[in-house]
Amino acid sequence: MGKVIAITSGKGGVGKTTSTVNLGAAINALGGDIIIVDANLTTPNIGLHLGAPIVPISLNHVLSNKAKISEAIYEHESGTKILPSSLSVKELKKIKPEKIPGVTKKLSKLADYIILDSAAGLGSEALGAIEGADELIIVTNPEMPAVTDALKTIKVAEELNKEIKGVILNRVRNKRSEMPISSIKEMLEVPILGVIPEDKRVQKALLKRDAVIHLYPKSKASRAYMNLSSKIMGKRNNNHEEPGFWQRIRLNLGLD
Ligand code: ADP
Ligand code: MG
């Protein structure tokens, strides 16, 4: 049985889709069997981030029993499998987020890792993805509103008895205006799985509609996503260079 991991957050725009796409692409690059699912039904973005074509059959069709799951899975040129949502405004009225858990259960028989990109907040769509997952990864930026909203998501997930794998701290610039990592850890009381730096290459990759790990594999963000993926897969990433002084300190602190 594969593991279903939802990438979620309280606040919007913190980097859930970026993290889903790059973790998915990195797990695929490391030889993992992965399906990325766009469980953000009202504002699906996976296609925009990964250059997927507008597809005739999507998750929306599967949720309303109009298509089989296998008909809605597409393969990116990298080999990463994607289950997209429909961009059509017409489909909006018919969304059925409460059916996501039934679909993810079936998906777990088709791959080792199923990564769900979810909507922000705690509305029915976000809850559908949380309920459909075995484990959650919460994305936040090092800013008080994002961290506070992440805490709300963590509390709701705990009430639903969902395992929280940890937090991805994204867009870290190491500026004094940011919340220190130690305070974020203290506030959220869950492990910090990865620290992804602010990196212009992430936006450049989005403009080119591909994962930063495909287009700029040596960028800081790509290396951080590769390390994080190896950690999720439970193996050492042999692609990265020897860790430098600060990275060794971070590794010792359990931050990388
Ligand atoms: P969400 O899915 O949580 O709404 P996105 O993944 O769409 O957030 O990211 C929002 C914006 O932030 C995008 O324009 C994306 O390119 C940018 N972004 C995300 N992560 C980074 C990063 N590490 N460095 C620079 N820009 C980033
Ligand atoms: Mg998104």
Side-chain angles (χ1 to χ4, degrees):
M1 285 284 269
K3 204 186 272 180
V4 183
I5 305 172
I7 309 291
T8 182
S9 75
K11 198 171 180 300
V14 291
K16 289 179 298 300
T17 308
T18 303
S19 297
T20 305
V21 161
N22 283 289
L23 283 182
I27 290 175
N28 176 64
L30 292 168
D33 183 15
I34 160 110
I35 303 175
I36 294 177
V37 182
D38 199 341
N40 187 345
L41 299 169
T42 36
T43 48
N45 281 167
I46 291 288
L48 302 178
H49 282 248
L50 211 47
I54 295 180
V55 294
I57 299 174
S58 68
L59 175 59
N60 307 63
H61 297 86
V62 178
L63 294 174
S64 43
N65 296 325
K66 287 193 197 128
K68 287 190 214 142
I69 292 180
S70 57
E71 293 173 308
I73 297 176
Y74 299 84
E75 202 169 304
H76 182 260
E77 58 188 21
S78 61
T80 307
K81 295 188 202 93
I82 309 170
L83 175 45
S85 267
S86 171
L87 278 170
S88 151
V89 176
K90 263 199 279 174
E91 299 283 343
L92 284 181
K93 289 188 210 120
K94 307 181 217 156
I95 60 162
K96 295 187 166 76
E98 69 283 1
K99 297 221 165 154
I100 292 175
V103 172
T104 55
K105 203 164 181 198
K106 287 186 191 153
L107 281 168
S108 68
K109 294 188 187 115
L110 302 180
D112 294 336
Y113 298 93
I114 323 297
I115 304 212
L116 311 181
D117 183 25
S118 83
L122 290 164
S124 58
E125 272 182 75
L127 287 175
I130 291 175
E131 299 224 30
D134 303 315
E135 291 178 357
L136 306 185
I137 294 180
I138 321 280
V139 184
T140 184
N141 299 146
E143 276 133 32
M144 188 58 98
V147 176
T148 309
D149 291 353
L151 182 59
K152 262 187 227 158
T153 304
I154 290 171
K155 292 297 159 204
V156 169
E158 281 171 356
E159 274 170 31
L160 293 169
N161 287 322
K162 289 292 166 186
E163 187 186 333
I164 294 156
K165 201 159 176 64
V167 168
I168 297 177
L169 205 49
N170 186 32
R171 305 196 78 161
V172 173
R173 292 169 300 151
N174 289 319
K175 296 271 185 221
R176 289 175 69 172
S177 54
E178 289 175 357
M179 255 180 102
I181 296 181
S182 55
S183 311
I184 297 172
K185 233 178 151 177
E186 198 181 323
M187 191 163 155
L188 299 181
E189 294 180 317
V190 292
I192 308 280
L193 288 179
V195 177
I196 315 292
E198 172 77 22
D199 187 339
K200 280 196 205 103
R201 302 280 169 137
V202 171
Q203 282 139 353
K204 277 192 168 176
L206 177 56
L207 269 179
K208 294 185 179 171
R209 300 184 63 203
D210 204 349
V212 70
I213 74 131
H214 290 151
L215 295 177
Y216 308 107
K218 291 194 172 147
S219 65
K220 285 184 289 173
S222 296
R223 281 193 266 169
Y225 276 123
M226 289 303 285
N227 285 340
L228 179 54
S229 304
S230 316
K231 203 179 203 179
I232 290 172
M233 293 172 80
K235 54 170 149 179
R236 281 198 69 77
N237 174 14
N238 297 322
N239 297 340
H240 71 255
E241 292 157 15
E242 277 302 300
F245 176 74
W246 289 110
Q247 201 184 353
R248 278 206 309 275
I249 297 232
R250 292 224 310 247
L251 282 168
N252 285 336
L253 290 171
L255 299 175
D256 265 335

